[in-house]
């Protein structure tokens, strides 16, 4: 499956979502991309997104 290039607008949106502590899954849903793609781009941009599936405690 071919990857869809990220636009500047999507980069900015991902930065905004990370800043507001949006979950990885929610960011994927809002951007229409897989959680893996979101995680990969977040790493490239130096962002941190938490997964809802992460167990606490």
């Amino acid at each position: 499956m071919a990857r869809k290039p990220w636009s500047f607008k999507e980069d900015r949106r991902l930065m905004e979502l990370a800043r507001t502590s949006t979950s990885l899954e929610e960011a994927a849903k809002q951007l229409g991309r897989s959680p893996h793609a979101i995680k990969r781009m977040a790493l490239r941009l130096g962002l941190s997104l938490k997964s809802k599936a992460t167990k606490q405690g």
Side-chain angles (χ1 to χ4, degrees):
M1 184 186 305
R3 294 181 186 165
K4 179 181 152 195
W6 282 73
S7 69
F8 178 75
K9 186 177 178 179
E10 288 175 308
D11 289 350
R12 302 301 294 178
R13 180 68 178 140
L14 182 56
M15 288 180 212
E16 185 180 312
L17 292 170
R19 198 170 332 160
T20 60
S21 301
T22 302
S23 72
L24 178 67
E25 293 82 4
E26 183 60 29
K29 187 177 176 182
Q30 288 190 32
L31 289 168
R33 293 187 178 264
S34 71
H36 180 72
I38 298 296
K39 192 173 190 176
R40 189 173 55 241
M41 184 51 77
L43 285 171
R44 278 191 189 163
L45 296 173
L47 305 173
S48 177
L49 289 166
K50 302 293 183 208
S51 174
K52 281 197 280 187
T54 302
K55 291 183 181 178
Q56 294 181 3

Short mmCIF file of all heavy atoms in Angstrom, two decimals:
data_model
loop_
_atom_site.label_atom_id
_atom_site.label_comp_id
_atom_site.label_asym_id
_atom_site.label_seq_id
_atom_site.Cartn_x
_atom_site.Cartn_y
_atom_site.Cartn_z
N MET A 1 0.84 -1.18 0.00
CA MET A 1 0.00 0.00 0.00
C MET A 1 0.90 1.25 0.00
O MET A 1 1.81 1.37 0.81
CB MET A 1 -0.89 0.00 1.25
CG MET A 1 -1.85 1.17 1.26
SD MET A 1 -2.82 1.36 2.78
CE MET A 1 -3.60 -0.20 2.95
N ALA A 2 0.61 2.16 -0.90
CA ALA A 2 1.41 3.38 -1.01
C ALA A 2 1.07 4.34 0.12
O ALA A 2 -0.08 4.46 0.52
CB ALA A 2 1.15 4.04 -2.36
N ARG A 3 2.08 5.01 0.59
CA ARG A 3 1.88 6.00 1.65
C ARG A 3 1.43 7.31 1.04
O ARG A 3 1.93 7.73 0.00
CB ARG A 3 3.17 6.24 2.41
CG ARG A 3 3.62 5.05 3.18
CD ARG A 3 4.89 5.39 3.91
NE ARG A 3 5.41 4.20 4.56
CZ ARG A 3 6.63 4.10 5.03
NH1 ARG A 3 7.47 5.11 4.93
NH2 ARG A 3 7.03 3.00 5.59
N LYS A 4 0.52 7.98 1.71
CA LYS A 4 0.05 9.29 1.29
C LYS A 4 0.97 10.34 1.91
O LYS A 4 1.17 10.33 3.13
CB LYS A 4 -1.39 9.48 1.77
CG LYS A 4 -2.01 10.79 1.43
CD LYS A 4 -3.43 10.84 2.00
CE LYS A 4 -3.83 12.26 2.30
NZ LYS A 4 -4.99 12.34 3.15
N PRO A 5 1.54 11.21 1.10
CA PRO A 5 2.43 12.24 1.67
C PRO A 5 1.71 13.14 2.66
O PRO A 5 0.52 13.41 2.51
CB PRO A 5 2.87 13.05 0.45
CG PRO A 5 2.53 12.23 -0.73
CD PRO A 5 1.41 11.33 -0.33
N TRP A 6 2.44 13.58 3.66
CA TRP A 6 1.88 14.47 4.67
C TRP A 6 1.95 15.91 4.15
O TRP A 6 2.98 16.34 3.65
CB TRP A 6 2.67 14.37 5.96
CG TRP A 6 2.34 13.16 6.78
CD1 TRP A 6 2.69 11.89 6.49
CD2 TRP A 6 1.60 13.13 7.99
NE1 TRP A 6 2.20 11.04 7.47
CE2 TRP A 6 1.53 11.78 8.40
CE3 TRP A 6 1.00 14.09 8.78
CZ2 TRP A 6 0.88 11.38 9.55
CZ3 TRP A 6 0.35 13.69 9.94
CH2 TRP A 6 0.29 12.36 10.31
N SER A 7 0.89 16.65 4.35
CA SER A 7 0.88 18.06 3.97
C SER A 7 1.33 18.90 5.17
O SER A 7 1.31 18.43 6.31
CB SER A 7 -0.53 18.49 3.55
OG SER A 7 -1.40 18.51 4.67
N PHE A 8 1.70 20.13 4.89
CA PHE A 8 2.09 21.05 5.96
C PHE A 8 0.92 21.23 6.93
O PHE A 8 1.11 21.26 8.14
CB PHE A 8 2.51 22.39 5.36
CG PHE A 8 2.88 23.41 6.39
CD1 PHE A 8 4.09 23.32 7.06
CD2 PHE A 8 2.03 24.46 6.70
CE1 PHE A 8 4.44 24.26 8.03
CE2 PHE A 8 2.38 25.40 7.66
CZ PHE A 8 3.58 25.30 8.32
N LYS A 9 -0.28 21.31 6.38
CA LYS A 9 -1.48 21.48 7.21
C LYS A 9 -1.66 20.30 8.17
O LYS A 9 -2.01 20.48 9.34
CB LYS A 9 -2.70 21.61 6.30
CG LYS A 9 -3.98 21.93 7.02
CD LYS A 9 -5.12 22.12 6.02
CE LYS A 9 -6.42 22.40 6.73
NZ LYS A 9 -7.53 22.59 5.79
N GLU A 10 -1.41 19.07 7.68
CA GLU A 10 -1.53 17.89 8.54
C GLU A 10 -0.45 17.89 9.63
O GLU A 10 -0.72 17.52 10.78
CB GLU A 10 -1.41 16.61 7.71
CG GLU A 10 -2.63 16.34 6.85
CD GLU A 10 -2.44 15.15 5.96
OE1 GLU A 10 -1.41 15.10 5.22
OE2 GLU A 10 -3.29 14.25 5.98
N ASP A 11 0.76 18.31 9.26
CA ASP A 11 1.84 18.42 10.26
C ASP A 11 1.43 19.36 11.38
O ASP A 11 1.58 19.04 12.56
CB ASP A 11 3.13 18.97 9.62
CG ASP A 11 3.81 18.00 8.69
OD1 ASP A 11 3.43 16.82 8.66
OD2 ASP A 11 4.74 18.44 7.99
N ARG A 12 0.91 20.52 11.01
CA ARG A 12 0.49 21.52 11.99
C ARG A 12 -0.64 20.99 12.87
O ARG A 12 -0.67 21.21 14.07
CB ARG A 12 0.06 22.83 11.32
CG ARG A 12 1.12 23.48 10.45
CD ARG A 12 2.37 23.83 11.19
NE ARG A 12 2.12 24.87 12.17
CZ ARG A 12 3.02 25.36 13.00
NH1 ARG A 12 4.25 24.90 12.97
NH2 ARG A 12 2.72 26.29 13.85
N ARG A 13 -1.59 20.27 12.24
CA ARG A 13 -2.72 19.71 12.99
C ARG A 13 -2.22 18.67 14.00
O ARG A 13 -2.68 18.63 15.13
CB ARG A 13 -3.73 19.09 12.02
CG ARG A 13 -4.93 18.49 12.69
CD ARG A 13 -5.81 19.55 13.32
NE ARG A 13 -6.99 18.92 13.91
CZ ARG A 13 -7.52 19.28 15.06
NH1 ARG A 13 -7.04 20.30 15.74
NH2 ARG A 13 -8.56 18.66 15.54
N LEU A 14 -1.28 17.84 13.59
CA LEU A 14 -0.73 16.84 14.49
C LEU A 14 -0.02 17.52 15.67
O LEU A 14 -0.16 17.09 16.82
CB LEU A 14 0.24 15.90 13.75
CG LEU A 14 0.85 14.78 14.57
CD1 LEU A 14 -0.21 13.91 15.24
CD2 LEU A 14 1.77 13.93 13.71
N MET A 15 0.70 18.59 15.40
CA MET A 15 1.36 19.34 16.48
C MET A 15 0.32 19.89 17.46
O MET A 15 0.51 19.82 18.68
CB MET A 15 2.18 20.49 15.90
CG MET A 15 3.41 20.05 15.19
SD MET A 15 4.29 21.49 14.56
CE MET A 15 5.02 20.82 13.09
N GLU A 16 -0.77 20.40 16.92
CA GLU A 16 -1.84 20.94 17.76
C GLU A 16 -2.48 19.84 18.61
O GLU A 16 -2.72 20.03 19.80
CB GLU A 16 -2.90 21.57 16.86
CG GLU A 16 -4.02 22.27 17.58
CD GLU A 16 -5.02 22.87 16.61
OE1 GLU A 16 -4.60 23.55 15.65
OE2 GLU A 16 -6.23 22.63 16.81
N LEU A 17 -2.73 18.70 18.01
CA LEU A 17 -3.33 17.57 18.74
C LEU A 17 -2.40 17.09 19.85
O LEU A 17 -2.86 16.78 20.96
CB LEU A 17 -3.68 16.43 17.78
CG LEU A 17 -4.80 16.74 16.79
CD1 LEU A 17 -4.89 15.62 15.74
CD2 LEU A 17 -6.13 16.91 17.49
N ALA A 18 -1.11 17.02 19.58
CA ALA A 18 -0.14 16.58 20.59
C ALA A 18 -0.10 17.58 21.76
O ALA A 18 -0.04 17.18 22.91
CB ALA A 18 1.24 16.44 19.97
N ARG A 19 -0.18 18.85 21.43
CA ARG A 19 -0.14 19.91 22.46
C ARG A 19 -1.34 19.82 23.39
O ARG A 19 -1.25 20.15 24.57
CB ARG A 19 -0.12 21.27 21.78
CG ARG A 19 0.33 22.40 22.65
CD ARG A 19 0.56 23.64 21.84
NE ARG A 19 0.91 23.21 20.49
CZ ARG A 19 0.83 23.92 19.39
NH1 ARG A 19 0.44 25.11 19.41
NH2 ARG A 19 1.15 23.44 18.22
N THR A 20 -2.49 19.37 22.86
CA THR A 20 -3.71 19.28 23.68
C THR A 20 -3.89 17.89 24.28
O THR A 20 -4.98 17.54 24.71
CB THR A 20 -4.95 19.67 22.86
OG1 THR A 20 -5.07 18.79 21.74
CG2 THR A 20 -4.87 21.11 22.39
N SER A 21 -2.82 17.09 24.27
CA SER A 21 -2.82 15.74 24.87
C SER A 21 -3.86 14.81 24.27
O SER A 21 -4.44 13.97 24.96
CB SER A 21 -3.02 15.84 26.39
OG SER A 21 -2.00 16.60 26.96
N THR A 22 -4.10 14.94 22.98
CA THR A 22 -4.99 14.03 22.27
C THR A 22 -4.33 12.66 22.18
O THR A 22 -3.12 12.57 21.99
CB THR A 22 -5.28 14.58 20.85
OG1 THR A 22 -5.85 15.88 20.98
CG2 THR A 22 -6.22 13.69 20.08
N SER A 23 -5.12 11.60 22.31
CA SER A 23 -4.56 10.24 22.24
C SER A 23 -4.12 9.92 20.81
O SER A 23 -4.60 10.53 19.84
CB SER A 23 -5.58 9.22 22.70
OG SER A 23 -6.60 9.07 21.73
N LEU A 24 -3.24 8.97 20.71
CA LEU A 24 -2.76 8.49 19.42
C LEU A 24 -3.92 8.05 18.54
O LEU A 24 -4.00 8.41 17.37
CB LEU A 24 -1.78 7.33 19.66
CG LEU A 24 -1.19 6.65 18.45
CD1 LEU A 24 -0.28 7.60 17.70
CD2 LEU A 24 -0.42 5.42 18.88
N GLU A 25 -4.83 7.29 19.11
CA GLU A 25 -5.97 6.77 18.35
C GLU A 25 -6.90 7.88 17.87
O GLU A 25 -7.38 7.85 16.74
CB GLU A 25 -6.76 5.76 19.18
CG GLU A 25 -6.03 4.47 19.48
CD GLU A 25 -5.05 4.56 20.66
OE1 GLU A 25 -4.97 5.62 21.32
OE2 GLU A 25 -4.33 3.59 20.90
N GLU A 26 -7.13 8.86 18.73
CA GLU A 26 -8.00 9.98 18.35
C GLU A 26 -7.35 10.83 17.26
O GLU A 26 -8.02 11.28 16.33
CB GLU A 26 -8.34 10.84 19.57
CG GLU A 26 -9.28 11.97 19.28
CD GLU A 26 -10.63 11.55 18.73
OE1 GLU A 26 -11.11 10.45 19.04
OE2 GLU A 26 -11.23 12.35 17.96
N ALA A 27 -6.05 11.04 17.37
CA ALA A 27 -5.33 11.80 16.35
C ALA A 27 -5.41 11.07 15.00
O ALA A 27 -5.64 11.69 13.96
CB ALA A 27 -3.87 12.00 16.76
N ALA A 28 -5.27 9.74 15.03
CA ALA A 28 -5.37 8.95 13.80
C ALA A 28 -6.76 9.10 13.18
O ALA A 28 -6.89 9.27 11.96
CB ALA A 28 -5.07 7.48 14.11
N LYS A 29 -7.76 9.05 14.02
CA LYS A 29 -9.14 9.19 13.55
C LYS A 29 -9.37 10.57 12.92
O LYS A 29 -9.94 10.69 11.83
CB LYS A 29 -10.09 8.98 14.73
CG LYS A 29 -11.54 8.93 14.38
CD LYS A 29 -12.36 8.63 15.64
CE LYS A 29 -13.84 8.66 15.36
NZ LYS A 29 -14.62 8.42 16.58
N GLN A 30 -8.91 11.61 13.59
CA GLN A 30 -9.12 12.97 13.10
C GLN A 30 -8.35 13.26 11.81
O GLN A 30 -8.83 14.01 10.96
CB GLN A 30 -8.72 13.99 14.17
CG GLN A 30 -9.71 14.04 15.31
CD GLN A 30 -9.46 15.21 16.24
OE1 GLN A 30 -9.00 16.27 15.82
NE2 GLN A 30 -9.77 15.02 17.51
N LEU A 31 -7.18 12.66 11.67
CA LEU A 31 -6.37 12.91 10.47
C LEU A 31 -6.61 11.88 9.37
O LEU A 31 -6.05 12.01 8.28
CB LEU A 31 -4.89 12.95 10.84
CG LEU A 31 -4.47 14.18 11.64
CD1 LEU A 31 -3.08 14.01 12.22
CD2 LEU A 31 -4.52 15.42 10.77
N GLY A 32 -7.39 10.86 9.66
CA GLY A 32 -7.68 9.84 8.65
C GLY A 32 -6.47 9.00 8.28
O GLY A 32 -6.28 8.63 7.13
N ARG A 33 -5.64 8.72 9.26
CA ARG A 33 -4.44 7.91 9.05
C ARG A 33 -4.37 6.82 10.11
O ARG A 33 -5.07 6.86 11.11
CB ARG A 33 -3.19 8.79 9.13
CG ARG A 33 -3.12 9.78 7.98
CD ARG A 33 -1.82 10.52 8.00
NE ARG A 33 -1.70 11.44 6.89
CZ ARG A 33 -1.07 11.15 5.76
NH1 ARG A 33 -0.49 9.99 5.58
NH2 ARG A 33 -0.99 12.05 4.81
N SER A 34 -3.50 5.86 9.89
CA SER A 34 -3.36 4.77 10.86
C SER A 34 -2.60 5.26 12.09
O SER A 34 -1.80 6.20 12.00
CB SER A 34 -2.59 3.61 10.23
OG SER A 34 -1.23 3.95 10.06
N PRO A 35 -2.85 4.61 13.24
CA PRO A 35 -2.08 4.97 14.44
C PRO A 35 -0.57 4.84 14.20
O PRO A 35 0.21 5.65 14.71
CB PRO A 35 -2.58 3.98 15.49
CG PRO A 35 -3.98 3.68 15.07
CD PRO A 35 -3.91 3.65 13.55
N HIS A 36 -0.17 3.85 13.41
CA HIS A 36 1.26 3.66 13.12
C HIS A 36 1.82 4.87 12.36
O HIS A 36 2.91 5.35 12.67
CB HIS A 36 1.47 2.38 12.30
CG HIS A 36 2.90 2.12 11.97
ND1 HIS A 36 3.82 1.72 12.91
CD2 HIS A 36 3.58 2.24 10.80
CE1 HIS A 36 5.00 1.59 12.31
NE2 HIS A 36 4.88 1.91 11.04
N ALA A 37 1.06 5.38 11.39
CA ALA A 37 1.51 6.55 10.62
C ALA A 37 1.60 7.78 11.52
O ALA A 37 2.55 8.58 11.41
CB ALA A 37 0.54 6.82 9.47
N ILE A 38 0.65 7.92 12.42
CA ILE A 38 0.66 9.06 13.35
C ILE A 38 1.87 8.97 14.27
O ILE A 38 2.59 9.95 14.48
CB ILE A 38 -0.64 9.08 14.20
CG1 ILE A 38 -1.87 9.27 13.31
CG2 ILE A 38 -0.56 10.16 15.28
CD1 ILE A 38 -1.94 10.58 12.58
N LYS A 39 2.13 7.78 14.79
CA LYS A 39 3.27 7.58 15.69
C LYS A 39 4.59 7.88 14.97
O LYS A 39 5.46 8.55 15.52
CB LYS A 39 3.25 6.12 16.19
CG LYS A 39 4.19 5.86 17.32
CD LYS A 39 3.97 4.46 17.83
CE LYS A 39 4.71 4.21 19.12
NZ LYS A 39 4.43 2.90 19.67
N ARG A 40 4.72 7.40 13.74
CA ARG A 40 5.93 7.61 12.95
C ARG A 40 6.16 9.11 12.70
O ARG A 40 7.27 9.62 12.86
CB ARG A 40 5.82 6.84 11.64
CG ARG A 40 7.09 6.79 10.84
CD ARG A 40 6.99 5.87 9.64
NE ARG A 40 5.87 6.21 8.79
CZ ARG A 40 4.83 5.40 8.52
NH1 ARG A 40 4.79 4.19 9.01
NH2 ARG A 40 3.86 5.79 7.73
N MET A 41 5.10 9.83 12.31
CA MET A 41 5.26 11.26 12.04
C MET A 41 5.50 12.04 13.33
O MET A 41 6.29 12.99 13.35
CB MET A 41 4.03 11.81 11.32
CG MET A 41 4.18 13.27 10.93
SD MET A 41 5.68 13.70 10.03
CE MET A 41 5.28 13.10 8.41
N ALA A 42 4.85 11.65 14.41
CA ALA A 42 5.06 12.31 15.70
C ALA A 42 6.54 12.20 16.11
O ALA A 42 7.13 13.18 16.57
CB ALA A 42 4.16 11.72 16.77
N LEU A 43 7.13 11.03 15.90
CA LEU A 43 8.54 10.85 16.22
C LEU A 43 9.42 11.76 15.37
O LEU A 43 10.36 12.37 15.86
CB LEU A 43 8.96 9.39 16.02
CG LEU A 43 8.48 8.42 17.09
CD1 LEU A 43 8.77 6.98 16.67
CD2 LEU A 43 9.13 8.73 18.43
N ARG A 44 9.09 11.86 14.08
CA ARG A 44 9.85 12.74 13.19
C ARG A 44 9.77 14.19 13.62
O ARG A 44 10.73 14.95 13.47
CB ARG A 44 9.31 12.65 11.76
CG ARG A 44 9.82 11.50 10.99
CD ARG A 44 9.45 11.66 9.55
NE ARG A 44 9.76 10.44 8.83
CZ ARG A 44 9.28 10.13 7.66
NH1 ARG A 44 8.44 10.94 7.06
NH2 ARG A 44 9.62 9.02 7.07
N LEU A 45 8.61 14.59 14.12
CA LEU A 45 8.39 15.98 14.52
C LEU A 45 8.79 16.23 15.98
O LEU A 45 8.69 17.35 16.46
CB LEU A 45 6.92 16.36 14.32
CG LEU A 45 6.42 16.35 12.88
CD1 LEU A 45 4.91 16.56 12.84
CD2 LEU A 45 7.14 17.38 12.03
N GLY A 46 9.22 15.20 16.68
CA GLY A 46 9.63 15.34 18.07
C GLY A 46 8.45 15.53 19.02
O GLY A 46 8.57 16.19 20.05
N LEU A 47 7.31 14.92 18.67
CA LEU A 47 6.10 15.05 19.47
C LEU A 47 5.87 13.79 20.28
O LEU A 47 6.37 12.72 19.95
CB LEU A 47 4.88 15.28 18.56
CG LEU A 47 4.98 16.46 17.61
CD1 LEU A 47 3.79 16.45 16.66
CD2 LEU A 47 5.05 17.76 18.38
N SER A 48 5.06 13.91 21.32
CA SER A 48 4.71 12.77 22.15
C SER A 48 3.20 12.62 22.19
O SER A 48 2.49 13.56 22.56
CB SER A 48 5.27 12.99 23.56
OG SER A 48 4.87 11.93 24.40
N LEU A 49 2.71 11.45 21.79
CA LEU A 49 1.30 11.14 21.86
C LEU A 49 1.14 9.86 22.67
O LEU A 49 1.88 8.89 22.46
CB LEU A 49 0.72 10.92 20.46
CG LEU A 49 0.58 12.17 19.60
CD1 LEU A 49 0.32 11.76 18.15
CD2 LEU A 49 -0.54 13.04 20.09
N LYS A 50 0.19 9.84 23.58
CA LYS A 50 -0.05 8.66 24.40
C LYS A 50 -1.18 7.82 23.78
O LYS A 50 -2.14 8.36 23.26
CB LYS A 50 -0.48 9.07 25.81
CG LYS A 50 0.53 9.93 26.52
CD LYS A 50 1.79 9.18 26.81
CE LYS A 50 2.76 10.06 27.58
NZ LYS A 50 4.13 9.74 27.37
N SER A 51 -1.05 6.52 23.89
CA SER A 51 -2.06 5.61 23.40
C SER A 51 -3.10 5.38 24.48
O SER A 51 -2.77 5.28 25.66
CB SER A 51 -1.42 4.29 23.02
OG SER A 51 -2.40 3.35 22.67
N LYS A 52 -4.37 5.29 24.09
CA LYS A 52 -5.44 4.98 25.05
C LYS A 52 -5.26 3.56 25.58
O LYS A 52 -5.70 3.26 26.68
CB LYS A 52 -6.81 5.09 24.38
CG LYS A 52 -7.30 6.50 24.25
CD LYS A 52 -8.79 6.55 23.99
CE LYS A 52 -9.10 6.28 22.54
NZ LYS A 52 -10.49 6.48 22.20
N ALA A 53 -4.62 2.70 24.81
CA ALA A 53 -4.46 1.31 25.19
C ALA A 53 -3.38 1.11 26.27
O ALA A 53 -3.28 0.05 26.86
CB ALA A 53 -4.11 0.47 23.97
N THR A 54 -2.60 2.15 26.51
CA THR A 54 -1.54 2.06 27.51
C THR A 54 -2.15 1.87 28.90
O THR A 54 -2.98 2.65 29.32
CB THR A 54 -0.65 3.32 27.50
OG1 THR A 54 -0.12 3.48 26.20
CG2 THR A 54 0.45 3.23 28.52
N LYS A 55 -1.72 0.82 29.57
CA LYS A 55 -2.25 0.53 30.91
C LYS A 55 -1.62 1.48 31.91
O LYS A 55 -0.43 1.76 31.86
CB LYS A 55 -1.95 -0.91 31.30
CG LYS A 55 -2.71 -1.90 30.48
CD LYS A 55 -2.42 -3.31 30.96
CE LYS A 55 -3.17 -4.32 30.12
NZ LYS A 55 -2.88 -5.68 30.52
N GLN A 56 -2.43 1.94 32.83
CA GLN A 56 -1.93 2.81 33.89
C GLN A 56 -1.94 2.05 35.20
O GLN A 56 -2.88 1.34 35.50
CB GLN A 56 -2.79 4.06 34.01
CG GLN A 56 -2.70 4.94 32.77
CD GLN A 56 -3.56 6.20 32.92
OE1 GLN A 56 -4.15 6.41 33.95
NE2 GLN A 56 -3.60 6.98 31.86
N GLY A 57 -0.87 2.20 35.98
CA GLY A 57 -0.81 1.63 37.12
C GLY A 57 -0.74 0.90 38.19
O GLY A 57 -0.79 0.33 39.02
#
